[in-house]
Amino acid sequence: KMNERIYNFNPGPAVLPEDVLKEVQSELLNFHGTGMSILEISHRAPAYDEVHQQAKADIKELMGLGDDYDIIFTAGGASQTFALIPLNFAAESRPGSYALSGSFSQKAYEEAVKLGVGTVAASTKEENYVRVPRQDELNIAPGAAYLHICLNNTIYGTEYHYTPQTNGVPLFADMSSDMLSRPWDFSSYDFIYAGVQKNLGPAGVVLNIAKKELLANTPAELPTMLRYSTFQKNDSLYNTPPVFAIYIVGKVARWIKERGGLAAMGEANAKKAALLYDAIDSSDGFYRGHADKGSRSRMNVTFRLPTEELEKAFVAEAKEHSLGGVKGHRSVGGMRASIYNAMPLAGVEALAAFMNEFRKKH
Ligand code: PLP
């Protein structure tokens, strides 16, 4: 099986459609007749500019967003964005308000705390993050600069199934692990960001989509590269952007468009998730889902088995069936099957069948 690709259930760093990888491979040595690789041509050359503009246009079109939003590409991962957001938008008199629903929202909050501008709107930590906070639990700080949520909690396998009402407070969301996986009311959000390395491309770039006026009004005293207005003014080309990552994000956006856009992604992803949750729910308690039913993620399906021994056996036997990356994160334990856009239905069918078979065997 040396030459075969596996069904990749890893949560990242990147899970990409095979078609896209092949296309990248075919263009790698000579990009669009330039005689150079996309890695080698100038980021100011027309051939790159076309890639840059098309990626932005396709993403905006997929999300159904208009001219009141700008897209900027930053580096440093979603983790750096955790700090950039309070730096650019919060102040002691206007703190950021954070809904804590898992490890990443906690990390985002901690960055704001370091700057003295973080408050907690809600937390489900006491319940081991088995669900996301409910609307009626959100206690947004008066005069908050924003409410920050993490829409899909990659580690715990929970996801918001609603958009919080904020009473006029700008709504910010980390969508790293469910970006462009379903239709969503994106226009209710003021600032959306995603480390792209799950549904959208390789690690190395953060896709940010935000209200124009928000990006235009950031503190002038910030270092140039930490200030969002720098990216907006220069169309993310103040310095050399991560061109290869942006190029692949553009290809993935095109791939999504060609397959029917977010409606088609959402339908396919819901079907995939239902197969695995059915395998859990119909297992007479052999598999126990981590997430409360009302907060189940359609991207990361987390579950436990009766014993850790069985969990080890599950991972090993799955691998023999070319089902890779099903081991869960250490903070939850058990299994996690990540089923991003690029995971074909056949892969999920194979995993669901394996789950049933494994249960009967043990
Ligand atoms: N936010 C979410 C929801 C994530 O899943 C991850 C990574 O897995 C991060 C943030 C951190 O992203 P990065 O590695 O780009 O800093």
Short mmCIF file of all heavy atoms in Angstrom, two decimals, residues 76-80 82 104 150 152-154 174-177 195 197-198 206, ligand 1:
data_model
loop_
_atom_site.label_atom_id
_atom_site.label_comp_id
_atom_site.label_asym_id
_atom_site.label_seq_id
_atom_site.Cartn_x
_atom_site.Cartn_y
_atom_site.Cartn_z
N GLY A 76 1.17 33.86 10.85
CA GLY A 76 1.23 33.69 12.31
C GLY A 76 0.17 32.76 12.87
O GLY A 76 0.11 32.52 14.08
N GLY A 77 -0.68 32.25 12.01
CA GLY A 77 -1.69 31.29 12.47
C GLY A 77 -2.83 31.95 13.22
O GLY A 77 -2.78 33.13 13.58
N ALA A 78 -3.84 31.16 13.46
CA ALA A 78 -4.97 31.66 14.26
C ALA A 78 -4.48 32.05 15.65
O ALA A 78 -5.01 32.98 16.27
CB ALA A 78 -6.06 30.60 14.35
N SER A 79 -3.44 31.38 16.11
CA SER A 79 -2.93 31.68 17.46
C SER A 79 -2.40 33.11 17.57
O SER A 79 -2.53 33.74 18.61
CB SER A 79 -1.82 30.69 17.83
OG SER A 79 -2.33 29.38 17.82
N GLN A 80 -1.77 33.60 16.51
CA GLN A 80 -1.33 35.00 16.58
C GLN A 80 -2.53 35.94 16.50
O GLN A 80 -2.54 37.01 17.11
CB GLN A 80 -0.35 35.31 15.45
CG GLN A 80 0.31 36.67 15.68
CD GLN A 80 1.20 37.05 14.53
OE1 GLN A 80 0.74 37.39 13.43
NE2 GLN A 80 2.50 36.98 14.75
N PHE A 82 -5.24 35.50 17.91
CA PHE A 82 -5.78 35.63 19.28
C PHE A 82 -5.24 36.91 19.93
O PHE A 82 -5.94 37.55 20.72
CB PHE A 82 -5.36 34.43 20.14
CG PHE A 82 -5.91 33.10 19.70
CD1 PHE A 82 -5.34 31.92 20.17
CD2 PHE A 82 -6.99 33.01 18.84
CE1 PHE A 82 -5.84 30.68 19.77
CE2 PHE A 82 -7.50 31.77 18.44
CZ PHE A 82 -6.91 30.60 18.92
N PHE A 104 -9.26 26.49 22.30
CA PHE A 104 -8.82 27.62 21.49
C PHE A 104 -9.49 28.92 21.91
O PHE A 104 -8.84 29.97 21.92
CB PHE A 104 -9.02 27.32 20.00
CG PHE A 104 -8.11 26.22 19.53
CD1 PHE A 104 -8.62 24.97 19.19
CD2 PHE A 104 -6.73 26.40 19.49
CE1 PHE A 104 -7.77 23.94 18.79
CE2 PHE A 104 -5.88 25.38 19.09
CZ PHE A 104 -6.40 24.14 18.74
N CYS A 150 -15.70 30.83 19.36
CA CYS A 150 -15.03 29.86 18.48
C CYS A 150 -16.14 28.96 17.94
O CYS A 150 -16.74 28.20 18.70
CB CYS A 150 -13.99 29.06 19.26
SG CYS A 150 -13.17 27.82 18.23
N ASN A 152 -16.42 26.40 15.87
CA ASN A 152 -16.29 24.92 15.94
C ASN A 152 -15.08 24.59 16.81
O ASN A 152 -13.98 25.08 16.56
CB ASN A 152 -16.12 24.34 14.54
CG ASN A 152 -16.06 22.82 14.56
OD1 ASN A 152 -17.05 22.15 14.85
ND2 ASN A 152 -14.88 22.25 14.31
N ASN A 153 -15.32 23.78 17.81
CA ASN A 153 -14.27 23.45 18.76
C ASN A 153 -13.62 22.13 18.36
O ASN A 153 -14.13 21.04 18.66
CB ASN A 153 -14.85 23.43 20.17
CG ASN A 153 -15.42 24.80 20.51
OD1 ASN A 153 -14.67 25.72 20.82
ND2 ASN A 153 -16.73 24.96 20.40
N THR A 154 -12.51 22.27 17.68
CA THR A 154 -11.81 21.18 17.01
C THR A 154 -11.48 20.02 17.94
O THR A 154 -11.55 18.86 17.56
CB THR A 154 -10.50 21.72 16.39
OG1 THR A 154 -10.72 23.04 15.91
CG2 THR A 154 -10.01 20.83 15.28
N ASP A 174 -13.77 32.80 15.52
CA ASP A 174 -12.74 31.90 15.03
C ASP A 174 -13.47 30.76 14.31
O ASP A 174 -14.20 29.99 14.93
CB ASP A 174 -11.94 31.36 16.23
CG ASP A 174 -10.89 30.32 15.84
OD1 ASP A 174 -10.82 29.94 14.65
OD2 ASP A 174 -10.14 29.89 16.74
N MET A 175 -13.30 30.70 13.00
CA MET A 175 -13.94 29.63 12.22
C MET A 175 -12.88 28.71 11.62
O MET A 175 -13.10 28.12 10.55
CB MET A 175 -14.84 30.22 11.12
CG MET A 175 -15.99 31.07 11.64
SD MET A 175 -17.21 31.40 10.34
CE MET A 175 -18.29 32.59 11.19
N SER A 176 -11.75 28.58 12.31
CA SER A 176 -10.63 27.82 11.74
C SER A 176 -11.05 26.43 11.26
O SER A 176 -10.60 25.99 10.21
CB SER A 176 -9.51 27.66 12.77
OG SER A 176 -8.91 28.90 13.05
N SER A 177 -11.88 25.74 12.04
CA SER A 177 -12.11 24.35 11.67
C SER A 177 -13.48 24.08 11.06
O SER A 177 -13.82 22.93 10.83
CB SER A 177 -11.86 23.43 12.88
OG SER A 177 -12.56 23.87 14.01
N GLY A 195 -7.42 30.05 10.63
CA GLY A 195 -6.17 29.44 10.21
C GLY A 195 -6.63 28.44 9.16
O GLY A 195 -7.47 27.60 9.45
N GLN A 197 -5.66 25.87 7.64
CA GLN A 197 -5.13 24.51 7.45
C GLN A 197 -6.07 23.36 7.79
O GLN A 197 -5.63 22.33 8.26
CB GLN A 197 -3.82 24.36 8.22
CG GLN A 197 -3.91 24.46 9.74
CD GLN A 197 -3.87 25.87 10.26
OE1 GLN A 197 -3.99 26.80 9.51
NE2 GLN A 197 -3.70 26.03 11.55
N LYS A 198 -7.35 23.54 7.56
CA LYS A 198 -8.25 22.40 7.74
C LYS A 198 -9.07 22.23 6.48
O LYS A 198 -8.80 21.33 5.70
CB LYS A 198 -9.12 22.62 8.96
CG LYS A 198 -8.27 22.37 10.19
CD LYS A 198 -8.72 22.94 11.43
CE LYS A 198 -7.86 22.40 12.53
NZ LYS A 198 -6.65 23.19 12.77
N VAL A 206 -3.65 32.99 7.48
CA VAL A 206 -4.94 33.16 8.15
C VAL A 206 -5.83 33.96 7.21
O VAL A 206 -5.42 35.00 6.69
CB VAL A 206 -4.80 33.90 9.49
CG1 VAL A 206 -6.15 34.12 10.15
CG2 VAL A 206 -3.88 33.13 10.42
N1 PLP B 1 -8.62 27.80 16.44
C1 PLP B 1 -9.11 26.59 16.14
C2 PLP B 1 -10.58 26.37 16.18
C3 PLP B 1 -8.23 25.56 15.80
O1 PLP B 1 -8.72 24.34 15.50
C4 PLP B 1 -6.84 25.80 15.76
C5 PLP B 1 -5.88 24.75 15.41
O2 PLP B 1 -6.15 23.59 15.36
C6 PLP B 1 -6.38 27.07 16.11
C7 PLP B 1 -7.29 28.04 16.42
C8 PLP B 1 -4.92 27.38 16.11
O3 PLP B 1 -4.53 27.58 14.81
P1 PLP B 1 -3.04 27.87 14.39
O4 PLP B 1 -2.31 26.59 14.47
O5 PLP B 1 -3.21 28.38 12.98
O6 PLP B 1 -2.46 28.90 15.28
#
